[in-house]
Amino acid sequence: MNELKLQTRYAQSLFDLAKETNVLEDVYKDILAIKDVCLENRELQVILRNPIIKPLQKKQLILSLFENSCKDITIKFLSLIISKRRDIYLLGICNSFIEIYRKDKNIKTAEIIVGSAISEELSKEIESQLEEIFHTDVYLTTKVNPKIIGGFCLTIDGKQYDASFLKKLSVIRKELTLKA
């Protein structure tokens, strides 16, 4: 089965169950925390992907990490994933769950790429202006790419607005080479 399809199915199942039992917000917070731990802790990803480590040992590790901070439904879901040997897809399942949640709550995801780091205040200001424009909640992530030089690239709803100096210089260069 396609990895993305598998991850989406598991995420959708957890989403439906959490919504049905009225613990969606709590499970969403749990999934965000699990994703953060997976991203911050490379060793955890290696352990989950290692087929030599027995599922029981993996369950014990997951329980020790999340038992006190996550809802019971999330812990049971993690146990199910491990027992079905789908633990290698944990990060993908988390990402799919977050995407499904945001789609259900009509939260748009935007990404802004800038030449140098921007302040938290500016990031919040951009987020609020996007919310005003799109009349919905917006989750904004910021990435730094020094090649941008100045300006920014904004991606929202699969559409990209490139207002970077790099793009403008590229356009000027193209125009000059055509005239020469």
Side-chain angles (χ1 to χ4, degrees):
M1 180 183 287
N2 181 342
E3 282 183 28
L4 182 60
K5 193 182 271 189
L6 183 136
Q7 293 165 3
T8 304
R9 283 186 180 175
Y10 274 92
Q12 186 68 54
S13 297
L14 177 60
F15 178 84
D16 292 341
L17 182 62
K19 195 170 186 178
E20 186 179 300
T21 56
N22 295 318
V23 291
L24 184 59
E25 297 303 319
D26 293 329
V27 171
Y28 175 67
K29 290 174 187 169
D30 291 348
I31 293 297
L32 287 175
I34 292 166
K35 178 185 173 186
D36 288 344
V37 169
C38 286
L39 289 175
E40 292 170 4
N41 193 337
R42 179 122 176 95
E43 293 84 23
L44 177 62
Q45 290 181 45
V46 171
I47 290 169
L48 290 175
R49 287 197 166 112
N50 190 336
I52 296 171
I53 299 173
K54 298 198 181 328
L56 182 60
Q57 293 172 311
K58 291 180 183 181
K59 275 185 190 179
Q60 290 170 342
L61 173 66
I62 292 294
L63 286 176
S64 69
L65 287 173
F66 301 113
E67 190 172 38
N68 295 327
S69 60
C70 291
K71 286 284 194 189
D72 191 42
I73 189 172
T74 308
I75 298 298
K76 286 180 181 176
F77 182 75
L78 292 173
S79 294
L80 174 73
I81 287 173
I82 293 168
S83 65
K84 295 284 186 182
R85 295 203 174 258
R86 301 296 193 223
D87 43 341
I88 62 172
Y89 305 114
L90 180 59
L91 190 57
I93 292 169
C94 289
N95 288 330
S96 293
F97 182 90
I98 292 166
E99 187 178 308
I100 291 166
Y101 175 87
R102 289 182 179 155
K103 187 180 248 185
D104 182 68
K105 298 292 183 182
N106 198 25
I107 300 171
K108 294 192 181 292
T109 303
E111 177 184 68
I112 189 165
I113 304 171
V114 292
S116 60
I118 61 174
S119 68
E120 185 70 28
E121 297 152 1
L122 180 57
S123 180
K124 291 292 181 193
E125 177 63 29
I126 293 168
E127 196 173 277
S128 67
Q129 287 194 8
L130 289 172
E131 288 174 349
E132 215 172 279
I133 292 168
F134 289 99
H135 306 291
T136 186
D137 290 334
V138 174
Y139 175 77
L140 180 69
T141 57
T142 305
K143 290 189 179 174
V144 176
N145 181 351
K147 291 181 181 178
I148 298 287
I149 303 170
F152 63 91
C153 292
L154 176 70
T155 306
I156 189 165
D157 279 346
K159 296 178 183 144
Q160 186 177 35
Y161 177 73
D162 193 342
S164 66
F165 291 170
L166 181 64
K167 175 70 174 179
K168 291 177 182 176
L169 288 173
S170 173
V171 169
I172 292 169
R173 181 182 301 131
K174 193 174 187 178
E175 287 176 4
L176 289 174
T177 55
L178 289 175
K179 292 180 181 179

